[in-house]
Amino acid sequence: ETGVTQTPRHLVMGMTNKKSLKCEQHLGHNAMYWYKQSAKKPLELMFVYNFKEQTENNSVPSRFSPECPNSSHLFLHLHTLQPEDSALYLCASSQDNRAVLIRKLFFGSGTQLSVL
Amino acid sequence: KNQVEQSPQSLIILEGKNCTLQCNYTVSPFSNLRWYKQDTGRGPVSLTIMTFSENTKSNGRYTATLDADTKQSSLHITASQLSDSASYICVVSADYGQNFVFGPGTRLSVLP
């Protein structure tokens, strides 16, 4: 158990559906991330939040909409997705502090998303 | 362009054997290098983290090496077990920020 919990573990949705992925971290971290992992490709950074504020949007299409209501929770709202969006979506957290020289990522188990 | 390459793409070994996974990177300025283990259907879990001044670091049967001059790292697994079957991902951090560059991973299968 890494201290980062993602739900649901699996999700199948049609292209016209609206769904949300949820991430919760119990580590007291102040930075949270969404990554996309497609088959045989490196993890792709999607969004970064520091102290609830979005600090990075890695040119992600608007059909992906993140929400970070507090430092412990992170959501990814999905609407009108495409089949090529099928992938493993990973949430991670870290302690973002200038006193921490090595920022260590803790990952959740991911949501395996299939878009039909 | 910051990039991390790993080889081989996949590897099959018998239980009890040793193996070595390779990582080459072109990331600048270099801050640290990590190896993660990712079991099927799970998120990556950190194995080792090495800074510029560290040449080797061990975590049980896992030993990572780093050559900052040639920008290469290796992960050596000793006396492999069935539970070592997983993807091993090399990640290089370019600075103290969130700039993590991920490699594509090596898929290791350990057979009985």
Side-chain angles (χ1 to χ4, degrees):
Chain A
E1 187 59 53
T2 63
V4 181
T5 303
Q6 288 187 244
T7 55
R9 290 295 310 277
H10 299 88
L11 179 62
V12 179
M13 59 187 290
M15 289 189 285
T16 58
N17 292 158
K18 291 183 179 181
K19 297 288 185 182
S20 295
L21 310 184
K22 179 183 177 181
C23 177
E24 182 176 2
Q25 57 98 359
H26 311 277
L27 301 169
H29 291 164
N30 52 27
M32 297 188 77
Y33 313 72
W34 280 117
Y35 283 91
K36 175 184 179 182
Q37 187 177 32
S38 303
K40 299 183 179 180
K41 293 177 65 177
L43 270 71
E44 302 172 49
L45 179 65
M46 300 176 72
F47 302 103
V48 182
Y49 278 81
N50 273 282
F51 296 98
K52 305 186 300 179
E53 299 297 322
Q54 186 179 128
T55 57
E56 187 157 350
N57 177 337
N58 202 22
S59 301
V60 180
S62 60
R63 57 186 184 269
F64 295 92
S65 175
E67 178 189 0
C68 188
N70 54 61
S71 294
S72 299
H73 293 85
L74 185 64
F75 296 89
L76 188 62
H77 304 299
L78 316 171
H79 63 97
T80 60
L81 294 192
Q82 305 298 313
E84 59 265 28
D85 296 323
S86 298
L88 180 67
Y89 288 85
L90 290 163
C91 172
S93 71
S94 70
Q95 185 60 29
D96 185 4
N97 187 320
R98 287 298 177 188
V100 178
L101 298 182
I102 296 179
R103 187 169 289 106
K104 191 173 180 180
L105 289 175
F106 291 80
F107 286 89
S109 294
T111 295
Q112 186 65 55
L113 174 67
S114 297
V115 182
L116 305 179
Chain B
K1 178 183 177 183
N2 289 335
Q3 200 165 359
V4 175
E5 298 177 344
Q6 292 187 242
S7 62
Q9 183 177 15
S10 61
L11 181 63
I12 300 174
I13 62 173
L14 295 177
E15 185 179 13
K17 298 297 185 181
N18 304 335
C19 68
T20 301
L21 314 180
Q22 300 292 339
C23 173
N24 298 327
Y25 61 92
T26 53
V27 176
S28 182
F30 174 87
S31 178
N32 57 75
L33 184 145
R34 310 131 186 266
W35 283 93
Y36 280 84
K37 177 187 180 187
Q38 185 177 19
D39 293 316
T40 301
R42 313 291 293 185
V45 176
S46 179
L47 292 175
T48 63
I49 300 177
M50 290 184 292
T51 61
F52 182 88
S53 60
E54 296 176 294
N55 300 119
T56 184
K57 182 165 282 190
S58 293
N59 178 0
R61 295 179 296 102
Y62 301 102
T63 299
T65 65
L66 174 63
D67 187 334
D69 291 330
T70 62
K71 298 186 177 181
Q72 295 180 326
S73 176
S74 66
L75 180 68
H76 186 75
I77 303 175
T78 304
S80 60
Q81 300 177 357
L82 299 179
S83 59
D84 293 330
S85 295
S87 288
Y88 291 84
I89 303 173
C90 177
V91 185
V92 181
S93 178
D95 51 32
Y96 296 145
Q98 293 93 11
N99 188 13
F100 299 105
V101 185
F102 288 79
T106 292
R107 178 69 200 177
L108 174 65
S109 299
V110 180
L111 303 181

